[in-house]
Amino acid sequence: MKFGPKVLMWIAISERGMAQPLFRSQNSEAVNSAIYIDECLSQRLLPFLHKYHPDFNYVFWPDLAPAHYAKATVAWMDENIYFVPKELNPPNVPQARPVENFWGCLVQKVYAGAWEATTEDQLIRRITSKLKEFDSNFFQVLMAGLNGKLRKIADKGVFSSFK
């Protein structure tokens, strides 16, 4: 096989932990706003927020995928959660998004030792087992100083976080 199996994975994280992940086969229907609202936001994000953020001390920060800011999605989010509006969500600023570091750490764990998947199920099982290796301390460290970093980026520009 020229390219290994792929799956789409969605997960929400905060300094308090992570949501139940969603896995979708590479052959499944593309994620549209209806799928995103149902499978990600309603079935996974809301239970996560109720469990880990009953104090409502959070802001959901979606990436800029089309389904994440579709009219139906924005209407749902307006009614149910606090979120970063699209006009305040800059593209291509991975250094401001802790989830990008999480994805990098997860990839390192999954593919450590040159591991390769031969099936989608095998890949999902491996990812699921590696997700269990993350503890609450990891998420606290990952999110530490985020407000200061965002303020610095807002005040001094995107590249100020590298200085």
Side-chain angles (χ1 to χ4, degrees):
M1 183 182 334
K2 186 172 181 178
F3 299 104
K6 296 179 183 173
V7 295
L8 176 138
M9 181 183 162
W10 178 94
I11 196 165
I13 63 168
S14 78
E15 72 279 358
R16 299 178 188 176
M18 64 183 150
Q20 197 64 18
L22 168 70
F23 295 100
R24 291 180 58 87
S25 166
Q26 68 183 16
N27 298 324
S28 63
E29 178 183 3
V31 175
N32 58 30
S33 64
I35 291 169
Y36 183 64
I37 291 167
D38 178 45
E39 296 184 21
C40 298
L41 302 178
S42 295
Q43 292 182 34
R44 288 170 176 79
L45 182 63
L46 277 184
F48 171 75
L49 293 174
H50 291 309
K51 179 178 180 179
Y52 290 102
H53 297 278
D55 57 0
F56 300 102
N57 186 15
Y58 72 88
V59 176
F60 180 61
W61 190 350
D63 67 24
L64 295 170
H68 297 185
Y69 283 105
K71 286 181 185 178
T73 304
V74 171
W76 186 95
M77 291 190 299
D78 277 337
E79 290 181 21
N80 294 284
I81 62 173
Y82 303 122
F83 68 101
V84 175
K86 186 174 184 179
E87 60 273 8
L88 297 177
N89 192 349
N92 304 318
V93 189
Q95 64 272 30
R97 299 171 54 85
V99 73
E100 301 301 338
N101 290 330
F102 169 76
W103 289 126
C105 292
L106 180 59
V107 166
Q108 285 180 346
K109 287 178 179 287
V110 169
Y111 295 103
W115 182 87
E116 292 184 25
T118 55
T119 67
E120 284 183 359
D121 286 340
Q122 186 182 38
L123 179 58
I124 291 169
R125 282 192 310 273
R126 175 78 170 199
I127 293 169
T128 301
S129 72
K130 295 302 176 180
L131 286 171
K132 293 174 184 171
E133 295 178 11
F134 291 99
D135 62 12
S136 60
N137 186 54
F138 171 83
F139 294 106
Q140 291 167 0
V141 169
L142 187 65
M143 300 292 182
L146 180 59
N147 288 339
K149 183 185 286 188
L150 293 174
R151 174 55 42 211
K152 187 175 180 183
I153 289 170
D155 291 347
K156 298 183 179 182
V158 171
F159 298 107
S160 65
S161 63
F162 292 119
K163 297 176 185 173

